[in-house]
C-alpha cells in the first residue's frame, strides 16, 4: 500500500465574485521512501497541493474535496485534533522563506524547545538539547547555533535549522516547498546532499516542490509535472526527463540550460497561464501547445499509461492511443 495516495483532489479559492480552481482532479501515489519532485511554472498549483496535503489552507477561503490517504487514513476527514497529532510526528514541512520562519527576538534553541514540547510537554531541557544537537550534527551545524538568534545565521544555516526543526520528531513524510530556491548553488548542492543522506538514514519519504528541473533530476526518483492545477505527466525521473511525452514537459526542458551534450538555444513557452476562474472544456495547455487540434479544445485529456508502464502517465490526446 502506498504511504500517500492523492485521489481526484480539487482545491478552489473562494473570491467575492468567483472561484479560482487552483487544483483539479489531481491524483498521485507516493510509496514509502519515495522521493518525488513536483515541478511546474509559478501558478501551476504545486504549493497549493502541498498545503492541501498538510491541511494548511484556510477553511474560510478554500474548498478542498477528493481523498488524501496517508497510511489508509483520509487526512481531509480527520478532526483538527487528529491532524495536529500527525503534524511534526508523521508529516512535516520546510517552507520556502526560511529566513522568516523563526521569531527574530528568541534564540534558536528556545524556539526548538517550544516546538518539541508541542508533542512532549513534559520533556526537560537536557533531553531536548541532546535531540537538537543530534539533528544539528546531521545537517552540518555547530552546537553553538543553539544559543544564537536567527539574524546571526547565514541563509544556508537558517535553511539547515528549518530542516532540523522539521525532523525534530522523526516524521515519515517531509515536504520541501522551494526549500533551496534562495540559496547560492554551492550551499544548495550541500543541503540537497544532506537531505538525500537523511532519507537513507531516517527512512524518510520526500515531496520536493520546485520549479528547478535540475534539482529534481539530481535528487528525486520520481517526478510529477503540473500546469494550471492539472497533472500533465508523472513517472520515474529517468523516463520523464529523458524522454518527455507531454508537450508542456518538453517545453519546460527546452527552457532549461544543458551543461552537457549538444548546446541548444533556450526557448520559453509562448503565452501564459489560463484564467483559472473560468471553466476550460478541453486541455488547459491547448492555447500554448504547438500540437493543438479541435479535440484538444473540446475534450479534456485523461491520464494514460505510456509504453505499458503503469507508473508513467501522461494527460495528452497524442499519447497512449490518442491522436
Amino acid at each position: 500500500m502506498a504511504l500517500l495516495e492523492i485521489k481526484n483532489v480539487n482545491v478552489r479559492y473562494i473570491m467575492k465574485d468567483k472561484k479560482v480552481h487552483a487544483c483539479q482532479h489531481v491524483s498521485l501515489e507516493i510509496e514509502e521512501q519515495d522521493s518525488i519532485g513536483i515541478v511546474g511554472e509559478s501558478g501551476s498549483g504545486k504549493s497549493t497541493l502541498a498545503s492541501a496535503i498538510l491541511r494548511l489552507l484556510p477553511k474560510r477561503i478554500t474548498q478542498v474535496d477528493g481523498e488524501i490517504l496517508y497510511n489508509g487514513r483520509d487526512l481531509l476527514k480527520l478532526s483538527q485534533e487528529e491532524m495536529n497529532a500527525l503534524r511534526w510526528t508523521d508529516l512535516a514541512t520546510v517552507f520556502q522563506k526560511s529566513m522568516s520562519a523563526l521569531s527574530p527576538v528568541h534564540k534558536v534553541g528556545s524556539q526548538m524547545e517550544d516546538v518539541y514540547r508541542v508533542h512532549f510537554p513534559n520533556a526537560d531541557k537536557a533531553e531536548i538539547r541532546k535531540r537538537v544537537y543530534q539533528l544539528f550534527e546531521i545537517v552540518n551545524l555547530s552546537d553553538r547555533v543553539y544559543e544564537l538568534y536567527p539574524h546571526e545565521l547565514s541563509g544556508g544555516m537558517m535553511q539547515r535549522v528549518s530542516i532540523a526543526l522539521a525532523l525534530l520528531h522523526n516524521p515519515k513524510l517531509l515536504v520541501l516547498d522551494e526549500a533551496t530556491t534562495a540559496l547560492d548553488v554551492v550551499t544548495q548542492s550541500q543541503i540537497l546532499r544532506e537531505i538525500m543522506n537523511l532519507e537513507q538514514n531516517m527512512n524518510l519519504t520526500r515531496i520536493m516542490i520546485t520549479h528547478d528541473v535540475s534539482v529534481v533530476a539530481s535528487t528525486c526518483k520520481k517526478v510529477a509535472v503540473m500546469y494550471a492545477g492539472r497533472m500533465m505527466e508523472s513517472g520515474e525521473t529517468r523516463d520523464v526527463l529523458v524522454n518527455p511525452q507531454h508537450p508542456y514537459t518538453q517545453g519546460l526542458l527546452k527552457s532549461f540550460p544543458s551543461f552537457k551534450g549538444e548546446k541548444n538555444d533556450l526557448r520559453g513557452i509562448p503565452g501564459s497561464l489560463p484564467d483559472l476562474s473560468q471553466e476550460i472544456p478541453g486541455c488547459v495547455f491547448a492555447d500554448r501547445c504547438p500540437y493543438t487540434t479541435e479535440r484538444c479544445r473540446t475534450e479534456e485529456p485523461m491520464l494514460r499509461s505510456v509504453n505499458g508502464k503503469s507508473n508513467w502517465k501522461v494527460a495528452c490526446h497524442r499519447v497512449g492511443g490518442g491522436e
Side-chain angles (χ1 to χ4, degrees), residues 87-114:
R87 291 199 187 102
W88 300 104
T89 57
D90 282 66
L91 313 170
T93 184
V94 179
F95 294 105
Q96 180 175 0
K97 297 180 180 179
S98 63
M99 296 300 288
S100 57
L102 298 177
S103 165
V105 296
H106 297 91
K107 291 181 178 180
V108 169
S110 173
Q111 297 184 64
M112 296 193 82
E113 287 175 18
D114 289 341

Side-chain angles (χ1 to χ4, degrees), residues 104-151:
V105 296
H106 297 91
K107 291 181 178 180
V108 169
S110 173
Q111 297 184 64
M112 296 193 82
E113 287 175 18
D114 289 341
V115 173
Y116 193 89
R117 289 196 175 104
V118 168
H119 290 281
F120 299 97
N122 298 322
D124 58 41
K125 285 196 173 187
E127 174 190 337
I128 300 172
R129 188 180 289 260
K130 180 181 178 181
R131 174 60 179 159
V132 173
Y133 281 179
Q134 289 173 344
L135 290 170
F136 280 178
E137 183 179 357
I138 289 171
V139 298
N140 199 21
L141 282 175
S142 167
D143 292 350
R144 70 183 183 85
V145 171
Y146 199 91
E147 299 296 337
L148 297 180
Y149 290 95
H151 71 268

Side-chain angles (χ1 to χ4, degrees), residues 269-288:
I269 302 175
S272 56
L273 286 164
D275 184 350
L276 297 182
S277 67
Q278 303 294 321
E279 291 290 339
I280 301 171
C283 176
V284 291
F285 190 59
D287 287 342
R288 304 175 71 182

Side-chain angles (χ1 to χ4, degrees), residues 16-301:
K16 275 188 176 181
D17 55 349
K18 61 185 178 182
K19 292 182 180 179
V20 177
H21 302 273
C23 290
Q24 289 205 65
H25 314 304
V26 176
S27 295
L28 195 63
E29 284 193 12
I30 301 170
E31 302 291 334
E32 194 167 349
Q33 288 189 267
D34 256 353
S35 53
I36 182 166
I38 302 180
V39 300
E41 61 195 288
S42 297
S44 60
K46 308 183 301 293
S47 294
T48 293
L49 180 62
S51 295
I53 293 169
L54 297 163
R55 290 262 305 265
L56 295 177
L57 295 170
K59 289 185 177 181
R60 186 176 59 85
I61 61 167
T62 56
Q63 291 178 342
V64 183
D65 57 57
E67 293 180 294
I68 301 176
L69 304 176
Y70 172 76
N71 274 334
R73 302 173 69 191
D74 190 348
L75 298 180
L76 299 180
K77 293 181 179 178
L78 298 183
S79 67
Q80 193 61 55
E81 291 74 20
E82 290 173 320
M83 192 65 202
N84 288 341
L86 286 178
R87 291 199 187 102
W88 300 104
T89 57
D90 282 66
L91 313 170
T93 184
V94 179
F95 294 105
Q96 180 175 0
K97 297 180 180 179
S98 63
M99 296 300 288
S100 57
L102 298 177
S103 165
V105 296
H106 297 91
K107 291 181 178 180
V108 169
S110 173
Q111 297 184 64
M112 296 193 82
E113 287 175 18
D114 289 341
V115 173
Y116 193 89
R117 289 196 175 104
V118 168
H119 290 281
F120 299 97
N122 298 322
D124 58 41
K125 285 196 173 187
E127 174 190 337
I128 300 172
R129 188 180 289 260
K130 180 181 178 181
R131 174 60 179 159
V132 173
Y133 281 179
Q134 289 173 344
L135 290 170
F136 280 178
E137 183 179 357
I138 289 171
V139 298
N140 199 21
L141 282 175
S142 167
D143 292 350
R144 70 183 183 85
V145 171
Y146 199 91
E147 299 296 337
L148 297 180
Y149 290 95
H151 71 268
E152 296 179 281
L153 307 179
S154 68
M157 293 170 74
M158 267 301 301
Q159 198 64 61
R160 287 178 166 89
V161 168
S162 295
I163 293 169
L165 190 61
L167 298 174
L168 208 51
H169 294 300
N170 288 316
K172 295 179 179 65
L173 178 66
L174 180 64
V175 179
L176 297 107
D177 189 358
E178 302 279 12
T180 59
T181 299
L183 304 175
D184 63 82
V185 291
V186 174
T187 304
Q188 181 187 67
S189 177
Q190 291 172 346
I191 289 178
L192 289 172
R193 281 199 301 270
E194 287 158 9
I195 289 171
M196 293 174 71
N197 289 334
L198 283 171
E199 289 172 17
Q200 295 180 350
N201 298 331
M202 300 179 69
N203 296 324
L204 272 176
T205 302
R206 168 169 52 100
I207 300 175
M208 177 161 275
I209 310 295
T210 182
H211 63 271
D212 191 337
V213 177
S214 68
V215 168
V216 174
S218 59
T219 67
C220 295
K221 299 174 187 174
K222 296 179 181 178
V223 61
V225 181
M226 290 188 68
Y227 175 76
R230 268 84 157 189
M231 193 65 68
M232 298 285 100
E233 185 168 1
S234 64
E236 300 285 341
T237 301
R238 61 177 178 268
D239 289 331
V240 175
L241 298 188
V242 172
N243 187 25
Q245 298 295 303
H246 198 284
Y248 180 63
T249 311
Q250 295 167 3
L252 278 182
L253 294 175
K254 286 178 182 177
S255 68
F256 193 81
S258 173
F259 295 101
K260 294 181 180 180
E262 186 179 347
K263 304 299 181 186
N264 296 316
D265 292 336
L266 296 182
R267 297 180 183 178
I269 302 175
S272 56
L273 286 164
D275 184 350
L276 297 182
S277 67
Q278 303 294 321
E279 291 290 339
I280 301 171
C283 176
V284 291
F285 190 59
D287 287 342
R288 304 175 71 182
C289 180
Y291 308 108
T292 298
T293 65
E294 186 59 32
R295 182 187 180 191
C296 299
R297 298 189 182 280
T298 58
E299 181 185 336
E300 182 179 357

